[in-house]
Amino acid sequence: MAEHRTMQRNALLDAARSLLSEGGTEALTFPALAERTGLARSSVYEYFRSRAAVVEELCAVDFPVWAAEVEAAMERAETPEGKIEAYVRQQLALVGDRRHRAVVAISAGELDAGAREKIRAAHGGLIAMIVEALGALGHEQPRLAAMLLQGVVDAAVRRIEIGAAEDPGQITEAAVGMALRGVRG
């Protein structure tokens, strides 16, 4: 029975990812979840008490996986510049991934404090790694630089997401170039 519940919970999370990546947070409704999974709407409520609870669970499950992939790419790099480049490239490489699209939709949506906290914690580890790399490059305000660098990444993510005129590869190269030239100050 417990295994069956786990499968249903995973099916609901997967349906939530699809809905979020297709239509953002407005698309994530209990009727839509019920329809996607073939469960009765009352059954959806047995697993999650609210949309916020679904979002919070997705944050808890998907954000750390996504952050770990970025972190692993950074750890493979030998130099501070290499780490910064990996930070930018890996985030942009994950844009097409449904998990990442769900994460982006969640970030853009209205979040309750619990979900925001989980996102901040996952992001916090990444930002800490970037702050360290920027510090190693002799940056006077590595924390501020890290926040601005993430702004470049977020803008590039949005540009890829909307299917801009430029190829995702071009957007990635432009973001990497801007990041590396920018962090050298």
Side-chain angles (χ1 to χ4, degrees):
M1 187 66 200
E3 194 177 320
H4 181 66
R5 283 192 65 83
T6 303
M7 277 172 61
Q8 287 195 326
R9 187 180 200 88
N10 289 341
L12 283 165
L13 288 176
D14 212 46
R17 282 182 195 104
S18 295
L19 290 165
L20 282 165
S21 68
E22 289 158 24
T25 44
E26 307 78 69
L28 180 62
T29 64
F30 277 32
L33 281 172
E35 193 185 316
R36 285 281 167 105
T37 53
L39 291 170
R41 202 184 308 180
S42 58
S43 299
V44 179
Y45 282 98
E46 285 174 33
Y47 291 91
F48 298 104
R49 58 187 190 287
S50 64
R51 275 173 25 140
V54 178
V55 165
E56 194 169 329
E57 177 92 3
L58 273 179
C59 291
V61 173
D62 288 359
F63 248 91
V65 173
W66 173 83
E69 288 177 33
V70 177
E71 210 165 302
M74 288 176 73
E75 280 167 4
R76 288 192 294 272
E78 309 278 309
T79 63
E81 278 101 342
K83 287 185 188 311
I84 289 160
E85 181 170 345
Y87 177 80
V88 175
R89 273 189 199 286
Q90 190 62 34
Q91 286 192 66
L92 298 181
L94 293 170
V95 170
D97 185 300
R98 243 172 11 119
R99 269 188 337 231
H100 181 265
R101 276 218 296 275
V103 156
V104 169
I106 289 168
S107 302
E110 289 301 301
L111 289 180
D112 68 340
R116 266 204 308 274
E117 204 37 64
K118 288 191 168 66
I119 290 178
R120 252 202 306 280
H123 257 283
L126 282 181
I127 295 286
M129 288 185 76
I130 254 326
V131 168
E132 197 179 315
L134 289 164
L137 285 176
H139 237 280
E140 299 203 350
Q141 289 182 291
R143 234 188 131 69
L144 173 60
M147 296 302 166
L148 297 176
L149 175 62
Q150 186 57 44
V152 169
V153 174
D154 292 343
V157 165
R158 275 194 303 279
R159 197 94 190 125
I160 293 170
E161 286 279 342
I162 61 168
E166 312 86 4
D167 173 79
Q170 286 177 305
I171 296 170
T172 300
E173 292 315 313
V176 166
M178 192 170 273
L180 291 177
R181 283 192 301 276
V183 296
R184 291 193 189 109

